[in-house]
Amino acid sequence: MKTKALFYHAGCPICVSAEQKLVGSLDASKFDIEVIHLGEDKARVAEAERVGVKSVPALIIDGEVLHINFGADIAALR
Amino acid sequence: MKTKALFYHAGCPICVSAEQKLVGSLDASKFDIEVIHLGEDKARVAEAERVGVKSVPALIIDGEVLHINFGADIAALR
């Protein structure tokens, strides 16, 4: 069974760049990757904060939050 | 041909955690991944700085630096 991976972003240049490099580099045989644009899906900002996302872009694997570089603070997306 | 990916770290808990989650999640059919412990291999700190590493852990894919969370400032490793 594949592991769910979540990639939260906000459409910023740093987010898009990280998405292109990282999401496409993950082993697709191991992961189902969901990409969530928090700028367009505000309802999921609270969910992102609950799992520990402090800034975007961020990748969640097995419940662990990996903040990738720094695009925007999660508080700016509420 | 596989792309070279570099993972720089310093053996800190945040580094080890990121390494376990991320390095094992990359598509091994696409990447040759080299893991560099800058605490044990000080000679490579300058190399890391040249490619743009500001802090560890950091993953380099196609020359792009992805800083993952924050373990230590590169300046602290010189």
Side-chain angles (χ1 to χ4, degrees):
Chain A
M1 204 182 112
K2 291 190 187 185
T3 298
K4 179 101 176 173
L6 297 162
F7 184 82
Y8 291 102
H9 73 106
C12 58
I14 286 173
C15 296
V16 171
S17 175
E19 183 188 345
Q20 287 170 343
K21 287 298 173 203
L22 200 56
V23 172
S25 302
L26 295 177
D27 188 338
S29 70
K30 288 186 192 161
F31 297 101
D32 272 325
I33 304 159
E34 183 181 1
V35 175
I36 301 120
H37 188 325
L38 292 176
E40 294 175 349
D41 199 351
K42 294 271 183 195
R44 298 189 66 177
V45 173
E47 163 202 306
E49 288 184 304
R50 264 199 309 276
V51 296
V53 174
K54 306 285 187 206
S55 63
V56 288
L59 176 70
I60 322 292
I61 296 178
D62 289 332
E64 180 144 352
V65 185
L66 302 169
H67 296 97
I68 318 291
N69 294 334
F70 180 85
D73 195 287
I74 191 85
L77 302 172
R78 281 185 204 134
Chain B
M1 205 182 112
K2 290 192 189 185
T3 299
K4 179 102 177 172
L6 297 163
F7 185 82
Y8 291 101
H9 74 105
C12 58
I14 286 174
C15 296
V16 172
S17 175
E19 182 187 346
Q20 287 170 343
K21 287 298 172 201
L22 200 55
V23 173
S25 302
L26 295 178
D27 188 338
S29 71
K30 288 186 192 161
F31 297 101
D32 272 325
I33 304 158
E34 182 180 2
V35 175
I36 301 120
H37 189 324
L38 292 177
E40 294 176 349
D41 198 350
K42 294 272 183 195
R44 296 190 68 176
V45 172
E47 163 202 305
E49 289 185 303
R50 263 199 310 276
V51 296
V53 174
K54 306 284 187 207
S55 63
V56 289
L59 177 69
I60 321 292
I61 297 179
D62 288 333
E64 181 144 352
V65 184
L66 301 169
H67 295 98
I68 318 290
N69 295 335
F70 181 84
D73 196 289
I74 191 85
L77 302 171
R78 280 182 206 138

